[in-house]
Structures are given as C-alpha cells and as structure tokens.
Amino acid sequence: MKRPALLVALAFIAAFAVGCREPLDFDRSFTADPERGYRLFKGNCAKTCHPANAFEVKTVKNYEQLAYAVRDYYEQVVGGESNYAQQDVFDMTRYLNDKYYKFRQR
C-alpha cells in the first residue's frame, strides 16, 4: 500500500475506533445537496484532509460509515463537535458518494 493511502486508511480506522459521539439523523440525508457538498468539501477538506489519491482506498463499507467518517474528518477541520451541522455532513457525504463510492443509500 502506498504511504498516503496507508495514512488515509489508518485515519478512517482511528475515526471509527474513537466511536461516534452524536448519532447522525439519516432521515435528513435524503435532502442532501451534492452541489453544496462539493463546495463545502472543496472549501474545507480537499486540501487539508486528503492527498490526491485519498479515494483510491475505500475502507468504508456503506453509506452510513461514509457519513460518520465525513463527520469525524469535518470535526477535525472545522474545530469540534459544536461547529458542524449534520446537513453539512450529509451534503458532503452525498457529493463523495455520488463521485467516488456509489453506495446505495437507505
């Protein structure tokens, strides 16, 4: 495994090992806006969280895991649990899922 890919994989594992603080309300995921998610992703995460090949390693297995991973990364970038909105998480998750992962949503 290439070094950046290994770091991304380890970050995902660490995010899930810490556990989830607040459960995400997946009923809200149906209103997710992938265009807004793209803007949030580009503005907050694209350069700070991920190397160029970050999405070649797919350690998450479903849409729900992807949403929690996005939430955990977003908390790190934005600065804590109180500074994010679940809608931001779902918008970015929808964008990433549509572009890279192609998981079926519930």
Side-chain angles (χ1 to χ4, degrees), residues 5-23:
L6 177 61
L7 292 174
V8 171
L10 291 174
F12 272 117
I13 292 167
F16 290 114
V18 169
C20 301
R21 289 146 312 278
E22 173 190 3

Side-chain angles (χ1 to χ4, degrees), residues 7-106:
L7 292 174
V8 171
L10 291 174
F12 272 117
I13 292 167
F16 290 114
V18 169
C20 301
R21 289 146 312 278
E22 173 190 3
L24 293 173
D25 178 9
F26 282 95
D27 290 338
R28 296 179 65 187
S29 71
F30 292 108
T31 63
D33 178 358
E35 291 177 20
R36 182 173 179 273
Y38 170 77
R39 291 190 305 273
L40 286 166
F41 177 78
K42 284 297 187 187
N44 293 302
C45 298
K47 294 179 183 169
T48 55
C49 292
H50 305 286
N53 64 346
F55 302 103
E56 292 174 12
V57 177
K58 297 181 180 174
T59 57
V60 295
K61 303 295 182 212
N62 58 48
Y63 189 83
E64 289 82 7
Q65 286 181 359
L66 177 60
Y68 280 109
V70 167
R71 194 265 318 260
D72 291 342
Y73 275 124
Y74 194 44
E75 283 180 2
Q76 292 172 12
V77 172
V78 174
E81 230 177 296
S82 62
N83 293 332
Y84 80 94
Q86 285 195 16
Q87 194 61 49
D88 295 346
V89 170
F90 288 128
D91 290 347
M92 283 191 284
T93 301
R94 174 69 60 87
Y95 162 71
L96 292 171
N97 190 58
D98 290 354
K99 176 121 177 115
Y100 299 103
Y101 290 90
K102 314 294 187 206
F103 292 128
R104 184 178 70 78
Q105 298 174 46
R106 52 168 153 151

